[in-house]
Amino acid sequence: MTIKRILCGVVVLMGVVACNPAVANAFCLINGTNIQLHSQSLDSTAFQVDIPPGQRVCCDDCLKNGRTVASLLVVTDYVPVSQNSRPGWKAECRFQVSATGQAVVTGNSSHISCAVGPS
């Protein structure tokens, strides 16, 4: 094998790793519903995101200071706190996900299920 072939192989491998959505130490949430979901942390990770239907969101810098697990809440029909409204939602999942894990959310506006597993 020539040096040129080895270098090309290394460049291709680096490109595959760089394009991989499952970044090391990143947990991911996958919205398997046809509605928008809202998720936020229930601990000090300061994670908060809206996830469009069919999309995947990963957080590669949420777990710091040696933390290996995040406690999350995922809800449907989220209404944030504002001066003239009351916070609320219709359905929820509460779970913990590891730094390299993922959760797949399925269901509808009135009932969701969250399955947690490895990436």
Side-chain angles (χ1 to χ4, degrees), residues 40-64:
Q40 62 189 52
S41 63
L42 297 172
D43 54 27
S44 62
T45 59
F47 176 74
Q48 182 169 315
V49 66
D50 292 317
I51 310 167
Q55 296 295 308
R56 170 188 184 119
V57 174
C58 297
C59 188
D60 61 354
D61 62 351
C62 289
L63 296 175
K64 297 177 182 169

Side-chain angles (χ1 to χ4, degrees), residues 82-103:
S82 71
Q83 187 172 354
N84 298 321
S85 71
R86 297 181 63 184
W89 52 83
K90 286 189 178 175
E92 71 175 55
C93 284
R94 293 172 188 252
F95 56 91
Q96 292 186 325
V97 64
S98 71
T100 59
Q102 72 178 12

Side-chain angles (χ1 to χ4, degrees), residues 6-83:
I6 292 171
L7 289 175
C8 286
V10 169
V11 169
V12 169
L13 181 60
M14 288 174 64
V16 168
V17 170
C19 293
N20 187 354
V23 178
N25 294 326
F27 63 80
C28 297
L29 299 177
I30 301 167
N31 184 348
T33 73
N34 62 358
I35 57 171
Q36 180 164 294
L37 299 173
H38 177 80
S39 180
Q40 62 189 52
S41 63
L42 297 172
D43 54 27
S44 62
T45 59
F47 176 74
Q48 182 169 315
V49 66
D50 292 317
I51 310 167
Q55 296 295 308
R56 170 188 184 119
V57 174
C58 297
C59 188
D60 61 354
D61 62 351
C62 289
L63 296 175
K64 297 177 182 169
N65 301 325
R67 295 182 60 101
T68 59
V69 175
S71 295
L72 301 177
L73 169 70
V74 176
V75 299
T76 66
D77 296 332
Y78 176 65
V79 177
V81 177
S82 71
Q83 187 172 354

